[in-house]
Amino acid sequence: MGNKVQYHLTLVMLLTGVFGLEPIIDMDVDNVTVKVTDTAILPCAIDFMGGHKVVWTDQWSTLLTLDDRRIIDDPRVSIVRPYKRDWNLHIWNVTYEDQGPYDCQVNSDPIQSKRVMLNVLVPSEIVDILSSRDRTVLEGSTAILVCTVTGVPTPEVSWYKLPYEGQSSARERLDLKPGLYRGIYTCAYTVRQTVIGKAGELLFIHNISRFCDGTYECVAYNGVDPAVTRRMKVFVEFRPEVNMLTKHIGQYVGRDTVLYCEVVANPHGVMVWKKDRRDIDLMNKEKYTVDYYNGNIGTFKKTLILQIHNIQVEDFGKYVCFARNSIGQNKESMILYDYSVHDSPPTIMPETSVIEPFAKAPSKTPTTQKPDDIEIPREGSGVGTDKELFLNAVTQGANRPNKPSTTLNTHKPDAIEILGQGNDDRTDGEVFAIDVTTGIGPQQPNRPNQSGDETLPPGSSVKGGEDPCPTSASSELYSISLISSLLLSYTVSFYKVL
């Protein structure tokens, strides 16, 4: 194979010298694309070179090489000939400035030339001096973040909002297209372009709130590895917001209590407890202990704690939690009161009268049982209240000797009338007591027997052998039972009136 190539080259040289053949250059237009820092190989093949010369020139017609020698003072440029017909131009460590057309020429008649286009790709790059750094803005204003990028081709810019430190959620991608976009925290974004830059280099955060703070990231990529990113933090400042966990708290004298106050602010400034418009004496360690702890990351919340030891009467009152920063101030109050106000005195219930029922069998000996909770005045005790006169009349009537009855009254016990009218000057209680104890119904004065009344001679009895008007001990027992029930009703009514 080697002999055949050598033979072919020798034949070409003989024919060129004998027959005067002109060089033939490969006229195909080539496009060579490389990335910055790579090596560019620009091809050029010439047949029947003979004694002609070959040169390489750049886009400014600068002579780079002559035959296989470098003319320009640039060590990155050289001629590489893998084969005898090849006159390839090598450019090591290509830069973006090397991009452009290169010509391979041979001094034939006419001059023959081949053009090779060198394209250089430049990875994305964020211009530090023209891009935003960490920013601090007031709540309610508009924040503008700038991410200036370069690269060939022009990079695309994407915006992201990163989660807070300690959170495992994924970053939130913001809309790439120009226009209004609302994020997950109701933050309003607008993506725009700079005057001469690429769309997406400007990020507007409208009416920014504390929920829109955090770390933002811009990512630039143009298809040429690697992609580049830049992070910038946005801090939102706002006036303090004070919140009391409870507005009222009670405690007993001599005990301890703890007051809590939540303050949300950025930045945090002065946080104090006040009582009676004066700051709490923090030097009095035996009386007060003040402490605070931070809330969750990204909440700007701190909890201010006031512990009061051995509470005395003068410690009760209104306590104020006061907070102030460079933006403004705020306060909230609460009441510490004596919890003993909830301890009500015991309620004294009036004594109630209880009349025990008769459990014993009736006996022949007349007995009078008095209720334990009612005092019955004795004879000769003098004139008393209506209640005492009533009780006295009842007991006196119950102790009178029994009288035989010659008249049978058909009145029922529950329909007994209390008479105190006409010429009878006795009280209603006396008449009632006498009528009950004697076992006969009340009689009106000068009242003749009516057609409904029946009379029996003394000692007589009705059919069946039962005395219709018993005057024995059973009559007394029945009278006492009726008196007891009436006394119970009277007692209940009396206490209702009281």
Side-chain angles (χ1 to χ4, degrees):
M1 181 67 181
N3 294 331
K4 290 182 178 181
V5 172
Q6 185 67 28
Y7 173 77
H8 175 73
L9 293 176
T10 303
L11 181 60
V12 169
M13 293 177 64
L14 291 174
L15 291 174
T16 303
V18 175
F19 298 102
L21 296 178
E22 292 293 330
I24 300 174
I25 189 171
D26 182 11
M27 301 299 294
D28 294 337
V29 178
D30 292 328
N31 288 316
V32 178
T33 301
V34 295
K35 188 173 68 173
V36 171
T37 71
D38 288 349
T39 299
I41 301 176
L42 283 60
C44 181
I46 303 174
D47 292 325
F48 311 120
M49 184 65 180
H52 296 83
K53 303 295 182 180
V54 59
V55 296
W56 277 95
T57 60
D58 60 11
Q59 55 186 323
W60 296 285
S61 300
T62 302
L63 185 62
L64 303 178
T65 63
L66 174 60
D67 290 338
D68 57 358
R69 301 188 302 272
R70 174 172 57 85
I71 302 302
I72 191 174
D73 186 16
D74 188 346
R76 299 180 302 122
V77 178
S78 65
I79 295 295
V80 178
R81 301 185 65 190
Y83 300 101
K84 188 173 182 64
R85 65 191 295 265
D86 292 335
W87 300 86
N88 298 335
L89 178 66
H90 279 215
I91 304 176
W92 307 88
N93 193 21
V94 174
T95 64
Y96 181 71
E97 289 74 17
D98 297 330
Q99 178 175 271
Y102 289 81
D103 294 320
C104 177
Q105 300 177 358
V106 60
N107 61 342
S108 60
D109 186 19
I111 296 177
Q112 298 181 58
S113 177
K114 175 184 179 178
R115 173 158 290 190
V116 179
M117 187 66 187
L118 176 61
N119 299 311
V120 180
L121 300 179
V122 181
S124 304
E125 182 182 358
I126 298 176
V127 183
D128 181 75
I129 194 174
L130 299 178
S131 300
S132 298
R133 301 181 181 274
D134 295 347
R135 298 203 57 188
T136 300
V137 296
L138 293 179
E139 190 172 42
S141 62
T142 298
I144 303 176
L145 303 181
V146 182
C147 187
T148 304
V149 298
T150 61
V152 179
T154 305
E156 294 287 343
V157 180
S158 303
W159 287 94
Y160 296 88
K161 187 178 188 301
L162 303 183
Y164 295 108
E165 296 180 3
Q167 295 183 351
S168 58
S169 58
R171 62 181 183 176
E172 177 193 5
R173 180 171 181 174
L174 309 181
D175 200 311
L176 293 175
K177 299 178 181 180
L180 185 64
Y181 170 75
R182 294 191 179 275
I184 58 177
Y185 294 104
T186 66
C187 302
Y189 303 99
T190 300
V191 181
R192 300 178 184 175
Q193 69 180 52
T194 57
V195 178
I196 58 175
K198 177 67 176 178
E201 292 183 333
L202 297 180
L203 177 65
F204 289 78
I205 309 175
H206 304 279
N207 192 23
I208 192 170
S209 68
R210 69 198 67 176
F211 304 106
C212 305
D213 75 314
T215 303
Y216 289 82
E217 180 182 59
C218 73
V219 179
Y221 185 64
N222 61 353
V224 182
D225 294 333
V228 291
T229 63
R230 181 182 182 86
R231 294 181 178 181
M232 49 202 81
K233 293 183 178 181
V234 177
F235 302 95
V236 181
E237 294 185 343
F238 54 93
R239 65 191 294 265
E241 293 181 359
V242 181
N243 178 39
M244 289 290 190
L245 300 181
T246 178
K247 296 289 186 176
H248 296 81
I249 185 171
Q251 186 56 280
Y252 292 100
V253 173
R255 297 187 181 180
D256 296 354
T257 192
V258 179
L259 309 183
Y260 294 90
C261 170
E262 291 183 351
V263 179
V264 180
N266 187 37
H268 278 281
V270 178
M271 297 185 299
V272 296
W273 280 98
K274 295 176 177 286
K275 185 180 184 298
D276 299 332
R277 299 183 179 181
R278 293 194 302 269
D279 293 348
I280 296 297
D281 184 10
L282 301 181
M283 301 303 297
N284 190 355
K285 301 296 184 180
E286 297 181 356
K287 190 65 177 178
Y288 303 106
T289 301
V290 178
D291 197 4
Y292 76 92
Y293 60 87
N294 297 322
N296 298 329
I297 298 176
T299 60
F300 307 104
K301 181 172 65 176
K302 289 186 177 182
T303 302
L304 187 63
I305 304 172
L306 174 63
Q307 186 174 2
I308 307 175
H309 307 283
N310 189 20
I311 295 177
Q312 301 300 317
V313 176
E314 59 271 14
D315 296 324
F316 297 122
K318 183 170 71 173
Y319 286 79
V320 177
C321 179
F322 177 82
R324 181 181 65 241
N325 64 4
S326 58
I327 311 302
Q329 63 184 27
N330 202 346
K331 64 181 179 179
E332 194 65 51
S333 62
M334 68 173 300
I335 300 298
L336 175 63
Y337 65 92
D338 189 354
Y339 196 77
S340 63
V341 298
H342 296 292
D343 300 338
S344 58
T347 304
I348 301 176
M349 299 298 294
E351 297 182 359
T352 57
S353 300
V354 179
I355 300 178
E356 297 181 357
F358 294 96
K360 297 182 180 180
S363 61
K364 294 183 179 181
T365 304
T367 58
T368 302
Q369 185 174 356
K370 303 177 182 179
D372 296 337
D373 58 343
I374 300 178
E375 181 180 358
I376 301 177
R378 299 179 179 178
E379 294 183 12
S381 60
V383 179
T385 63
D386 293 340
K387 177 181 177 182
E388 294 174 343
L389 293 176
F390 170 75
L391 296 177
N392 187 28
V394 171
T395 53
Q396 289 178 0
N399 294 329
R400 291 183 180 180
N402 296 333
K403 297 181 181 180
S405 174
T406 59
T407 303
L408 177 61
N409 195 328
T410 58
H411 286 282
K412 296 181 180 180
D414 57 352
I416 297 176
E417 299 180 1
I418 301 177
L419 303 179
Q421 56 186 346
N423 298 326
D424 196 347
D425 56 354
R426 293 172 297 178
T427 63
D428 294 343
E430 293 176 344
V431 175
F432 172 77
I434 294 173
D435 291 338
V436 170
T437 54
T438 55
I440 59 175
Q443 300 292 331
Q444 296 182 359
N446 302 323
R447 176 181 179 273
N449 292 336
Q450 304 295 328
S451 59
D453 298 338
E454 297 182 3
T455 58
L456 293 175
S460 300
S461 62
V462 297
K463 186 178 180 180
E466 296 180 357
D467 191 354
C469 299
T471 58
S472 63
S474 60
S475 175
E476 295 180 359
L477 179 61
Y478 171 78
S479 301
I480 294 174
S481 300
L482 182 59
I483 292 171
S484 301
S485 61
L486 292 175
L487 286 175
L488 177 60
S489 299
Y490 181 85
T491 303
V492 173
S493 300
F494 176 75
Y495 279 109
K496 286 182 178 181
V497 173
L498 291 179

